[in-house]
Amino acid sequence: AVDKMNKPLLRPSVRLVNALAGEQVPLMMGDPQKCTQLVYNLVTNACKFTERGTVTIEANYDKEKQLLEVSVVDTGKGISKEGQKRIFSAFEQEQNGDNRSFQGIGLGLSVAMSIAK
């Protein structure tokens, strides 16, 4: 898989895991483009900041609430507590050291949050 700049999304030391295989995720009503954008933004962000290990896509459906929860879990170094307060705002990025070597202007997680709401 490649990003929009045609660069590989995954390092050789990272494995993408589809934890949905075999799961019964129901058909949901929604905008397919926005749903695709939401998952794309979460997965590409996880891939960018995971140097080794896994990026796992999971889903859980609450039948009673008719709510689908999609999770992207990675083994990256994480985001500081302060960064967690900011990263879902437009044009914000985690600011510790090597993260600034990545392309982007800090809109991916903001857009993902907007779609999710």
Side-chain angles (χ1 to χ4, degrees):
V2 295
D3 66 11
K4 292 178 182 177
M5 303 296 287
N6 207 32
K7 293 183 181 177
L9 277 177
L10 290 175
R11 291 175 172 86
S13 57
V14 178
R15 187 170 51 97
L16 187 60
V17 178
N18 177 0
L20 303 177
E23 292 293 318
Q24 287 294 327
V25 178
L27 185 61
M28 304 289 289
M29 296 293 290
D31 182 326
Q33 283 185 304
K34 286 185 179 180
C35 291
T36 299
Q37 184 71 56
L38 170 68
V39 174
Y40 176 85
N41 287 6
L42 294 175
V43 170
T44 56
N45 192 74
C47 289
K48 274 197 290 188
F49 297 105
T50 301
E51 292 185 18
R52 65 184 58 81
T54 58
V55 173
T56 304
I57 304 166
E58 305 170 338
N60 184 33
Y61 179 65
D62 185 327
K63 194 172 188 176
E64 187 176 301
K65 294 180 182 177
Q66 293 189 328
L67 179 72
L68 179 64
E69 179 182 273
V70 176
S71 302
V72 177
V73 181
D74 65 65
T75 56
K77 67 180 180 178
I79 301 167
S80 69
K81 292 286 185 192
E82 186 59 37
Q84 290 175 30
K85 296 175 187 175
R86 295 182 294 99
I87 60 168
F88 292 100
S89 298
F91 305 107
E92 290 289 340
Q93 296 179 328
E94 178 68 301
Q95 297 295 325
N96 57 0
D98 61 335
N99 291 353
R100 291 305 310 142
S101 65
F102 294 99
Q103 293 289 330
I105 57 173
L107 286 176
L109 293 179
S110 171
V111 169
M113 178 64 86
S114 177
I115 292 169
K117 287 183 178 182

